[in-house]
Amino acid sequence: MVGKLPEATAVKPQPRRALEELRRDAARCRACPLWEGATQTVFGEGPTGAPLMLVGEQPGDKEDLAGHPFVGPAGTVLQHALEEAEIDSSAVYMTNAVKHFKYRQRGTRRIHQRPTVAEMKACRPWLQAELDTVEPEVVVGLGATAAHALMGRATPIGEHRGRLLEAPLYSPVLLSAHPSSILRERDSAARVAARAALVADLRVAAAAAGAAH
């Protein structure tokens, strides 16, 4: 059975309650086949009314097991980048464009696979509901899948990163690289440069959202 979003009412529910309802409903979502191999739905987390929303691509192996977004190695990189950018964690809501872990089994390891356009579309109502409920001042899309989900089409991050954009799903949006890409850099100099670029993007978003210390 496909998870059903709450119907619109004349009186808007309290934001915290609305997020709890969304999280419960999303846990039952069967809109695409990804739920079959995933441990659980990994919904967004953070304070209601957060001025800054960070949208990643999809849960990784550790997120799938823990049930929380950005708790794996990439999440550690992101937390350090937020600290360096002097962004108050209480001002940030974190989520992913796709709520289930997509992977390919290789022995005992689960290897991350990129979600398809159909899988992104299946998850879009949940992301839209989070945006509508949290109502952030700025949304940061981290990685190609997040950029596609927010912009409604494949959008090269390199050409658009670091500046505020109008997007069909929600505006304004700022695109940046996913923190996992920093971990994939082969040498320390490249990792330092990639991390500095992420921090710079986060500072732009925080300044626009009023989320910096």
Side-chain angles (χ1 to χ4, degrees), residues 48-68:
T48 57
L52 194 62
M53 180 183 284
L54 305 185
V55 180
E57 298 188 317
Q58 66 155 329
D61 181 75
K62 292 188 181 299
E63 287 82 4
D64 172 72
L65 295 173
H68 303 288

Side-chain angles (χ1 to χ4, degrees), residues 2-213:
V2 176
K4 184 180 179 182
L5 295 179
E7 294 180 0
T9 60
V11 179
K12 185 176 180 180
Q14 292 296 317
R16 182 174 299 280
R17 180 180 178 185
L19 283 174
E20 290 173 352
E21 291 174 353
L22 286 171
R23 184 175 293 108
R24 184 179 64 247
D25 290 345
R28 301 192 297 268
C29 185
R30 302 293 185 266
C32 80
L34 291 185
W35 69 273
E36 297 176 353
T39 302
Q40 58 194 310
T41 302
V42 181
F43 204 70
E45 294 181 352
T48 57
L52 194 62
M53 180 183 284
L54 305 185
V55 180
E57 298 188 317
Q58 66 155 329
D61 181 75
K62 292 188 181 299
E63 287 82 4
D64 172 72
L65 295 173
H68 303 288
F70 291 103
V71 296
T76 300
V77 172
L78 179 59
Q79 290 295 339
H80 290 163
L82 289 169
E83 292 171 6
E84 191 172 342
E86 299 184 316
I87 295 174
D88 188 345
S89 60
S90 68
V92 179
Y93 181 92
M94 295 186 180
T95 191
N96 285 296
V98 174
K99 312 301 187 190
H100 285 118
F101 179 34
K102 182 177 182 177
Y103 63 92
R104 176 168 52 86
Q105 195 76 39
R106 182 185 297 171
T108 59
R109 297 179 61 201
R110 301 191 299 175
I111 308 301
H112 169 280
Q113 299 290 294
R114 178 176 291 187
T116 65
V117 172
E119 289 158 353
M120 283 187 271
K121 287 182 177 179
C123 240
R124 186 172 296 158
W126 302 114
L127 177 58
Q128 183 70 74
E130 287 177 295
L131 290 164
D132 292 343
T133 303
V134 178
E135 295 184 328
E137 297 296 326
V138 177
V139 180
V140 178
L142 300 169
T145 297
H148 193 147
L150 290 165
M151 302 301 291
R153 57 184 172 81
T155 304
I157 291 175
E159 299 176 17
H160 300 90
R161 72 179 297 172
R163 53 193 176 90
L164 300 178
L165 305 169
E166 294 292 319
L169 204 63
Y170 198 90
S171 294
V173 165
L174 183 143
L175 302 181
S176 188
H178 195 278
S180 62
S181 65
I182 298 174
L183 296 172
R184 293 194 296 269
E185 294 290 353
R186 296 184 178 182
D187 60 79
S188 59
R191 285 192 294 274
V192 168
R195 174 171 168 161
L198 174 59
V199 170
D201 292 341
L202 291 173
R203 282 177 173 156
V204 172
H213 282 302

